[in-house]
Amino acid sequence: MTLWRWAGARVSGLRVRLLLAFVLLGVTTTAVVASGSYVQARTVILQQAQDAAVTSLTDQLTKYYPIAQLPPTQDDLDILAQRLSDRKTTTVVVYRDLRSQGVGVTDALTPELRQEVGDGQIAWQRVVLDGEPKLIIGTQLALERPDGTSRPSGLEVYSVRSLLPEQQSIDQLATRAWLTGGLSLVLAVLLALLAAGSVLRPVRELGRAARSLGEGDLTTRLTVRGVDELADVARTFNETAGTLERQVGELRRMESDARRFVADVSHELRTPLAAMTAVTDVLDEEAEHLPGDAGRAARLVSQETQNLTQLVNDLIEVSRFDSGTARLAQDDVDVAAAVTATLRIRGWTDRVRAELPSGVVARLDPRRLDVIVANLVGNAFRHGVEPVSVRLSADEDWVTIEVADRGPGLDPEVLPHVFDRFYKADTARTRSEGSGLGLAISWENARLHRHGERRGSLVAGNGPGGGAVFTLRLPRDTTDDGGAR
């Protein structure tokens, strides 16, 4: 399909269309001009030959005009035909049923031609005799009356003249027309290529510049040539690229400042938070002994301090992803044991249905795997319905961990934004137990794991029986010693 699409694009390209347009215009113009010139020249040549033949025949007939006596004998017809013939012209004389001898053209005399000649007109006809074009011109001699006037005599004279020289001239004219057409076609192709090059060169440069700009090179500019429409397009592109570069640069600066601010604030908060955590540890021990509101306040302070600590840690982790300093500390990990440890540390072992086949070993970052699994299971508890299940599977190249719950599932409008930072499906809920960064951090951690062209992924969806399903796939870069895969 790609080859056909490429071939179709080449055939329907602007260069091909310009070339076809020029060729079509050249062929059409050449055909019209050459055909018109050929027809006009052919008509003129034949008309000149016809006029010359008529003039010659008329001049010769004046020597024998009018005829003094009728009917003529066969000898009279033969002698008259011989006298009217010359090197270029053969003449046949017809009087009723008598015809001059020695000429084999009388069969070519059509009834229409004889009718016109019989009516006293000078008529002509073009025929082909023995493969050669001929011109037959017929007229009728007049008979002298006693009073000096004349009347038609019924003596018909037909002059037969070869049109071979004229046909050769016409053939040469046709050959020249074809040669002219061919040269015009070649010239049209050359002009089309020249025009296509002059028009398509800026278009190709514009296409390359647009692709470069789309790939992120905001310094791309076009060279402006001339003052035509294409030059206006180039200037507009340069102005647009300049504006875009300034705006993107400003946005990048603002984003960099915001990230630096968040990172700096997060790091600055770690010291006071460490002190606050130490204080809340004491409050947690004394909260049970404090009366009423004091106990509740102590527990609230302790909980909010933990939440703030988690938020700061998440922001620091996000800043590492943004700055590109996040690195993997890989090790050969028994995935089933690592997932079991994650559930046990957080007290979820009895609440999670785990299908964790042993012997699945992969080269992973165990800390990041713990963060991913904890976020996914914790998210299932908070927003789904128990029981929550964790299922592990593996093949030669991949390790797959699937976390599912039995809740209502994810709304289709929510799915595209599940891994966005600080995204909340319920926009009216301004407070939540989490920071809104857990799934985003899990997604980044999954993509950090890669081996060659294989990169880890985290995908959200809904199960066929309902409930949200999160699928983690990590490349398996290790050699298994006979365990289940």
Side-chain angles (χ1 to χ4, degrees):
M1 289 299 294
T2 302
L3 178 61
W4 283 108
R5 190 179 297 110
W6 177 84
R10 298 292 294 179
V11 171
S12 60
L14 187 57
R15 177 186 292 274
V16 176
R17 284 184 284 173
L18 280 174
L19 183 61
L20 291 178
F22 271 84
V23 169
L24 182 60
L25 178 62
V27 170
T28 303
T29 303
T30 302
V32 171
V33 174
S35 299
S37 301
Y38 172 79
V39 172
Q40 184 177 5
R42 180 176 181 274
T43 302
V44 170
I45 291 173
L46 294 178
Q47 186 65 43
Q48 289 177 348
Q50 175 185 321
D51 294 344
V54 170
T55 301
S56 176
L57 178 61
T58 303
D59 291 342
Q60 288 180 320
L61 289 178
T62 56
K63 301 176 183 179
Y64 308 99
Y65 173 82
I67 298 300
Q69 61 180 5
L70 288 176
T73 64
Q74 182 67 47
D75 291 339
D76 293 336
L77 296 180
D78 293 340
I79 293 172
L80 180 59
Q82 184 177 4
R83 290 177 177 177
L84 293 175
S85 300
D86 57 22
R87 185 171 56 86
K88 297 181 179 180
T89 306
T90 301
T91 304
V92 58
V93 182
V94 179
Y95 181 78
R96 297 180 182 177
D97 296 333
L98 293 178
R99 300 184 180 184
S100 59
Q101 301 296 322
V103 180
V105 298
T106 54
D107 293 338
L109 304 179
T110 63
E112 292 80 5
L113 178 63
R114 296 205 59 187
Q115 179 65 40
E116 292 182 14
V117 172
D119 293 339
Q121 303 177 20
I122 297 179
W124 59 274
Q125 172 183 19
R126 286 195 294 269
V127 297
V128 177
L129 296 177
D130 299 329
E132 183 178 338
K134 303 281 187 178
L135 175 65
I136 302 176
I137 300 176
T139 186
Q140 187 175 169
L141 291 178
L143 178 64
E144 184 180 6
R145 291 175 176 174
D147 57 2
T149 61
S150 61
R151 63 179 178 80
S153 64
L155 191 64
E156 302 170 6
V157 178
Y158 296 94
S159 175
V160 182
R161 182 179 183 277
S162 175
L163 293 178
L164 186 59
E166 286 77 10
Q167 183 63 47
Q168 292 174 347
S169 298
I170 292 173
D171 292 340
Q172 292 177 358
L173 181 63
T175 301
R176 293 193 186 97
W178 280 108
L179 290 176
T180 302
L183 293 176
S184 300
L185 181 60
V186 173
L187 180 61
V189 171
L190 293 178
L191 289 176
L193 293 175
L194 181 62
S198 62
V199 172
L200 293 181
R201 187 180 302 108
V203 174
R204 285 195 295 267
E205 292 177 357
L206 179 61
R208 287 193 293 267
R211 285 191 294 271
S212 178
L213 190 66
E215 292 170 356
D217 185 4
L218 301 181
T219 61
T220 302
R221 298 293 185 272
L222 289 173
T223 302
V224 180
R225 302 183 182 90
V227 293
D228 56 6
E229 291 80 357
L230 291 174
D232 292 338
V233 172
R235 277 190 289 271
T236 302
F237 177 88
N238 290 340
E239 294 172 0
T240 303
T243 303
L244 182 63
E245 182 180 14
R246 289 191 296 273
Q247 293 179 348
V248 172
E250 182 65 18
L251 290 174
R252 286 176 176 172
R253 185 190 64 78
M254 295 172 61
E255 183 181 10
S256 177
D257 292 344
R259 288 177 176 175
R260 188 180 304 110
F261 174 78
V262 171
D264 293 343
V265 170
S266 300
H267 282 86
E268 291 298 326
L269 286 175
R270 298 187 76 174
T271 299
L273 278 176
M276 293 174 63
T277 301
V279 173
T280 56
D281 289 342
V282 175
L283 288 176
D284 286 339
E285 295 176 359
E286 299 295 332
E288 297 180 357
H289 307 292
L290 295 176
D293 293 339
R296 287 192 295 271
R299 285 188 290 271
L300 179 61
V301 170
S302 177
Q303 181 62 44
E304 292 301 326
T305 301
Q306 293 178 11
N307 293 339
L308 183 58
T309 302
Q310 182 63 44
L311 175 60
V312 170
N313 291 334
D314 289 345
L315 289 174
I316 292 174
E317 187 72 9
V318 168
S319 68
R320 293 195 184 102
F321 289 126
D322 291 340
S323 61
T325 59
R327 294 291 183 269
L328 292 176
Q330 291 181 313
D331 195 3
D332 290 339
V333 176
D334 186 326
V335 181
V339 173
T340 301
T342 298
L343 300 178
R344 183 179 63 253
I345 292 172
R346 290 164 178 82
W348 293 336
T349 305
D350 297 334
R351 300 174 60 187
V352 175
R353 294 180 179 178
E355 297 181 18
L356 306 173
S358 61
V360 177
V361 179
R363 190 164 186 78
L364 307 171
D365 185 329
R367 183 185 69 83
R368 297 186 186 277
L369 176 63
D370 175 76
V371 170
I372 297 172
V373 174
N375 277 325
L376 295 181
V377 175
N379 187 72
F381 284 136
R382 284 191 298 271
H383 304 292
V385 176
E386 297 186 37
V388 175
S389 62
V390 177
R391 183 179 297 106
L392 169 66
S393 61
D395 57 24
E396 186 176 353
D397 299 318
W398 296 94
V399 172
T400 303
I401 299 175
E402 184 181 279
V403 178
D405 61 64
R406 294 296 181 268
L410 297 171
D411 190 277
E413 296 180 358
V414 174
L415 279 175
H417 308 286
V418 166
F419 301 109
D420 293 350
R421 297 175 184 178
F422 300 107
Y423 178 77
K424 295 180 181 180
D426 184 2
T427 57
R429 186 182 61 188
T430 58
R431 286 285 295 158
S432 64
E433 297 180 8
S435 63
L437 294 172
L439 291 179
I441 293 174
S442 298
W443 186 82
E444 295 282 2
N445 280 326
R447 288 182 57 81
L448 273 181
H449 290 79
R450 62 181 303 172
H451 178 66
E453 297 297 325
R454 300 194 299 272
R455 182 188 288 271
S457 64
L458 180 59
V459 179
N462 291 313
V469 178
F470 288 83
T471 304
L472 171 67
R473 296 183 78 236
L474 300 177
R476 183 178 185 178
D477 181 19
T478 187
T479 301
D480 193 25
D481 296 329
R485 289 182 179 272

